[in-house]
Amino acid sequence: MHVTPAPSAPHRLLAFGRRLAQGWAGSLRAMDVLAALSCLGLMALDLPGLAAADNSLSGPAAAVVLAVGCSTLLVRRRMPWVSYLAALLFIGWLHELTLIQFALYSVGRFRGRRAGVLATLGYVAFALCLFCCVPGWPLARAETLSSFLSLVVPIGVLASAVGIAAYRHDLVRELDTRRAESAVLQAVQQERTSVARDVHDFVGRELTLLTVRSEVLSMRSRETAYAKDFEELADTARRAHLVLNEIIVQRGERAATPGVDGLAALAEESGRAGSPVRLDLDPAVHGLSPLRQAAVYRVVQECLTNAAKHARGETIEVSIAADGPQLRIAVRNGLAQRNPTRAPVSAGSGTASMSERVRSLGGTLTATRTQDAYEVLATLPKG
């Protein structure tokens, strides 16, 4: 039996260091710590000068003060004004201009352009007051005002400008991310819509025909032993159709639909369900584009389904003609002389769905109901 030896202490320490480095690498906290250490490293170069200057600070005391000032950069994302005020204190007390660069960058980066500009103007005004009011400030660069401004102004403007640019870059990146998420959600929604529309068009039609034929068989077998079974079958089909209409929201559609060649099968199916169809099809319709043929198929399909629901047993007249630049679809059926004993299951969106399809292709659709007939007329451009 082979036993894997336990890792030694140095290996465990190395593995812990790797996990810690991976956890910190690229994190916001690590970037803040790195900024604070970088600022402290740059200001450490001025320690000999700070110890020699007349500012009542020795080398060790100056190192502690600089470390405390740099630690304000750890909260620069939430409270950038803390490091900004500490930087102004360092300017007046220690004549130190390093921290102000990090502070102005932080204000511009995390508070935007207006805050960055105000912070820069405040910094320049504060430094100018010190130059004019404090003798010998700064000692090594107090010869002329122009030489002073050539040092102070570029430091503040450059740091603030870089921060503002980074802020704008963050906004653009966030906007791109939101647009990408929105595009993904829209694609998912379109796919769901397409599936819902196809389910309504095909499964809903089959359930309607199943309900109608079950009720017909139930009526024909009233005096037989199978009457109860057919009645239960019709009830089950009606409940399934009702559930389908409750969970499907009518939105968009998919273009993969049979063309006019499938109309004969639709008419035959409708006839078997008890609603005979007289189909008058212009041969020129076969030359239409697949998109136009799909629209014709869907309109006729919906009309036959509605007729099976509301006018079962009545003859349905379907006329499709390609006259000049227009394609004309007319579907007419008589109305039942007596109301059905049960209201048909309907989502109430069939006509709206047809109208939406036709309008999307630049056409029009009207539905007219008279005392003895119901007619749907749709016109589409052939091109």
Side-chain angles (χ1 to χ4, degrees):
M1 179 178 177
H2 178 72
V3 179
T4 304
S8 61
H11 285 87
R12 290 197 299 268
L13 184 61
L14 181 60
F16 175 76
R18 288 176 179 174
R19 290 194 300 269
L20 185 63
Q22 291 175 357
W24 273 68
S27 67
L28 299 179
R29 176 62 63 184
M31 295 177 64
D32 293 339
V33 172
L34 181 60
L37 293 177
S38 300
C39 182
L40 180 60
L42 292 174
M43 289 195 296
L45 300 177
D46 293 339
L47 283 177
L50 292 176
D54 185 16
N55 51 29
S56 302
L57 279 181
S58 63
V64 172
V65 171
L66 295 181
V68 172
C70 291
S71 66
T72 60
L73 293 174
L74 298 177
V75 295
R76 65 192 184 116
R77 298 177 186 274
R78 293 177 299 167
M79 297 179 288
W81 296 107
V82 174
S83 57
Y84 176 77
L85 295 176
L88 294 183
L89 176 63
F90 276 27
I91 291 175
W93 180 22
L94 305 177
H95 308 170
E96 175 59 59
L97 299 177
T98 303
L99 182 58
I100 192 63
Q101 300 175 55
F102 287 83
L104 288 174
Y105 170 84
S106 300
V107 172
R109 173 70 183 274
F110 303 114
R111 289 297 180 268
R113 181 178 61 182
R114 179 176 299 179
V117 172
L118 292 177
T120 303
L121 294 177
Y123 151 71
V124 173
F126 179 75
L128 185 60
C129 290
L130 291 177
F131 178 83
C132 298
C133 301
V134 179
W137 190 96
L139 183 62
R141 303 179 180 86
E143 292 83 5
T144 62
L145 178 62
S146 60
S147 62
F148 166 72
L149 294 178
S150 65
L151 172 68
V152 172
V153 175
I155 288 177
V157 172
L158 181 61
S160 182
V162 174
I164 293 172
Y167 175 79
R168 293 176 62 87
H169 176 73
D170 290 343
L171 291 180
V172 172
R173 183 171 56 185
E174 182 179 359
L175 179 60
D176 291 339
T177 302
R178 291 184 178 180
R179 286 177 177 173
E181 293 176 352
S182 177
V184 172
L185 291 176
Q186 185 177 4
V188 172
Q189 186 62 35
Q190 288 177 351
E191 183 62 20
R192 289 176 177 174
T193 295
S194 178
V195 172
R197 178 60 60 85
D198 285 346
V199 168
H200 171 267
D201 288 339
F202 295 104
V203 180
R205 173 175 171 77
E206 297 301 324
L207 286 175
T208 297
L209 296 177
L210 176 61
T211 303
V212 172
R213 299 195 66 180
S214 299
E215 292 179 350
V216 170
L217 292 175
S218 176
M219 294 177 61
R220 291 178 180 176
S221 60
R222 282 180 177 177
E223 304 300 329
T224 68
Y226 303 103
K228 183 178 180 181
D229 297 331
F230 284 120
E231 182 68 21
E232 291 178 353
L233 178 62
D235 290 339
T236 301
R238 289 172 58 84
R239 287 196 301 269
H241 200 181
L242 183 61
V243 171
L244 178 69
N245 287 334
E246 287 177 352
I247 64 176
I248 288 181
V249 178
Q250 298 299 318
R251 305 180 189 114
E253 69 172 283
R254 190 177 296 175
T257 306
V260 294
D261 292 334
L263 294 179
L266 276 181
E268 183 180 354
E269 191 176 39
S270 178
R272 289 198 304 267
S275 298
V277 176
R278 285 203 293 263
L279 179 62
D280 182 14
L281 181 63
D282 188 343
V285 177
H286 292 277
L288 296 175
S289 66
L291 186 62
R292 296 296 189 279
Q293 292 194 34
V296 172
Y297 183 92
R298 288 294 178 88
V299 170
V300 174
Q301 181 187 48
E302 189 64 38
C303 289
L304 296 184
T305 301
N306 290 339
K309 292 179 182 178
H310 303 285
R312 188 176 68 227
E314 299 294 329
T315 300
I316 307 172
E317 299 178 356
V318 179
S319 174
I320 304 172
D323 298 329
Q326 295 290 327
L327 172 66
R328 184 177 181 274
I329 308 168
V331 182
R332 185 180 185 278
N333 62 268
L335 298 179
Q337 298 300 321
R338 57 186 178 87
N339 294 328
T341 56
R342 296 181 180 179
V345 175
S346 176
S349 57
T351 303
S353 176
M354 287 190 297
S355 181
E356 177 186 345
R357 295 187 188 104
V358 172
R359 284 199 306 269
S360 66
L361 296 177
T364 60
L365 184 142
T366 57
T368 305
R369 181 188 181 97
T370 61
Q371 292 183 352
D372 56 353
Y374 184 83
E375 183 176 10
V376 174
L377 178 61
T379 58
L380 290 169
K382 292 171 58 176

